[in-house]
Amino acid sequence: MTTLRLILGDQLHQDISSLKGCDKENDIIFMCEVWEEATYVQHHKKKIAFLFSAMRHFSRELKEAGFQVRYTQLDDEDNAGSFKGEIERVVKERGIKNIIVTEAGEYRVLQDMQSWGEAFGVDVDIRANDHFLCTHEDFKNWAEDRNELRMEYFYREMRKKYNILLTDEGKPVGGEWNYDSENRKTPKGALDIPDTYHAQTDDITSDVLKLVGAKFKDHFGDLEPFHFAVTRDQALYALDKFVSERLNNFGDYQDAMVQGEPWMYHSHLSFYINCGLLTPMECIEKAQAAYYDKTAPLNAVEGFIRQILGWREYIRGIYWMKMPGYEAENFLDATRKLPSFYWDANTQMNCLKQCVSETKENAYAHHIQRLMVLGNFALIAGLSPEEVNEWFLIVYADAYEWVEMPNVTGMILYADGGVLASKPYASSGAYINKMSDYCKGCKYKVTKKNGPEACPFNYLYWDFIDRNEDKLKGNHRMRMMYSTLKRMGDEKLDAVRADTKRFFNAIDKGDVV
Ligand SMILES: Cc1cc2nc3c(=O)[nH]c(=O)nc-3n(C[C@H](O)[C@H](O)[C@H](O)COP(=O)(O)OP(=O)(O)OC[C@H]3O[C@@H](n4cnc5c(N)ncnc54)[C@H](O)[C@@H]3O)c2cc1C
Ligand code: SF4
């Protein structure tokens, strides 16, 4: 009996659960590029090219390894356009009675999968994705009966579970669980930042670039230059390059932003981990080995491992715990439309101009740009969670709903009312000025609090605090902000409100702000 084994575009690893026990003689491995997935939001052109090229390379590797692979390209004449349509076609053609698939990363696709059995009259075996390090069950058990779901405690459990950076006595290496306080160096003077990994374009990638250039002209972002890794070997090389060249400084400059340096000392591995080319555990183990080999310091290694073993798994746990319904959360009742400069970078606020331009060019921005510039503005300007979620899902090559949504709804917008963050990540221009060199090239003055020359982050911040007093003043971590607001006096508060009104009026009129 022939079994159909479906591989999705974010499951590109030969060790994936849907391939376990595969009968190479009889089973069909099925992969398809479908219009519905490529356009359900208008993904960045680079993101589509990356995934199609990685999928085509992976299907070639499977064939070379002796699997029977059937692959539908986007421009194949009889492409049905959706997963469901494509699977139905193969099931009918080949008289399939069994489908095996690894669970989808996104709620929407998992629901679709759960309907296939009845729709096609076949058995569908949906297997857990064991590339993640915390199962749904384990996250639920951890979260149950806790008042607060803080990442830090989850992360400690994960360190213990996998015996990462622990002494023989089970204590954290170096004595502390977390070295974040050492990871906030401000970027002073010239930094010697190695270039990120650049893969050569081969025939497969060339064909994909032509296809995406022709079919997705209206989508956001620059298609070229294109230099992402698209095979497992290339992704492993990118990982080694990160560990040997950048990990050393990863911790120190984790929160720093420098104009003209989009990649900083970050790893640029999220694209590869999220689509299966790399496993999270191999990234963790290589970083841990660098610490024991004394080629990278503890603050860098612990910081990097925390992002993957802690944040990434925790974010996924929150997504599945809160879905469905998380997509509709809007605790602060934020309704403002996304300003056009999120698409064209046409703004005089230099920090936003740089971060949007780099996003457009690279389909990448590092965490602190996403959090403290793009996200912070969205929060303090009261942008609609629906619009902000859609933007973040479109523009980054590593974006999938399971990881994008908790970062946006929970981390940057506080739209879940504090499930993920203990207080809103709101800040004025002073933080951006401390952690970047953006302000010196800006038309606005970061030191000015009010008036047309003042940095908009400064008055928007206080307007945000004022506007949301009813919802936030009960939060003990916001107590200091509300005491300062009380001491501000009517005159200053009126100036904040007037500046905010002027700023929003200008955006609404279509002026460049
Ligand atoms: C508003 C917002 C939206 C985001 N959207 C995404 C997204 O769509 N996809 C995505 O993978 N990450 C997202 N992140 C998390 C983080 O910004 C990216 O994972 C990171 O910038 C990727 O670059 P890097 O590989 O160089 O990461 P590094 O800084 O080198 O970190 C190492 C790895 O840790 C993991 N990681 C770090 N922080 C997080 C986090 N908060 N959540 C999940 N994983 C994390 C990633 O796998 C990353 O590759 C978002 C963060 C914010 C604030
Ligand atoms: S002055 Fe304000 S708007 Fe300009 S770069 Fe600095 S933080 Fe951004």
Side-chain angles (χ1 to χ4, degrees), residues 348-352 373 428-430 432-433 436 438-447 454-458:
Q348 310 196 69
M349 292 177 279
N350 192 39
C351 51
L352 280 158
V373 177
S428 66
I432 296 173
N433 190 35
S436 79
Y438 294 146
C439 299
K440 65 182 188 215
C442 187
K443 179 204 145 176
Y444 297 105
K445 293 199 167 46
V446 71
T447 47
C455 165
F457 282 81
N458 290 344

Side-chain angles (χ1 to χ4, degrees), residues 371-474:
L371 181 68
M372 295 316 297
V373 177
L374 298 155
N376 184 21
F377 183 88
L379 171 70
I380 62 180
L383 305 188
S384 137
E386 195 183 337
E387 297 212 2
V388 181
N389 266 301
E390 184 173 82
W391 187 83
F392 274 97
L393 188 57
I394 286 174
V395 303
Y396 294 117
D398 59 21
Y400 302 82
E401 193 180 87
W402 68 264
V403 53
E404 169 277 323
M405 190 182 285
N407 272 298
V408 169
T409 291
M411 193 181 299
I412 63 167
L413 297 182
Y414 202 73
D416 61 8
V419 172
L420 196 143
S422 56
K423 75 175 182 61
Y425 275 97
S427 93
S428 66
Y431 183 80
I432 296 173
N433 190 35
K434 182 174 167 229
M435 297 314 302
S436 79
D437 61 355
Y438 294 146
C439 299
K440 65 182 188 215
C442 187
K443 179 204 145 176
Y444 297 105
K445 293 199 167 46
V446 71
T447 47
K448 283 200 96 171
K449 305 278 179 259
N450 289 108
E453 284 193 332
C455 165
F457 282 81
N458 290 344
Y459 48 81
L460 288 177
Y461 172 78
W462 284 110
D463 193 72
F464 166 80
I465 300 288
D466 176 39
R467 196 172 352 121
N468 291 295
E469 183 166 0
D470 285 354
K471 296 208 162 111
L472 298 178
K473 74 172 173 214

Side-chain angles (χ1 to χ4, degrees), residues 250 266-270 274 307 364 367 370 398-399 403 407:
F250 174 87
H266 292 268
S267 69
H268 329 133
L269 295 174
S270 51
N274 291 354
Q307 306 311 309
Y364 175 83
H367 185 67
R370 298 187 205 195
D398 59 21
V403 53
N407 272 298

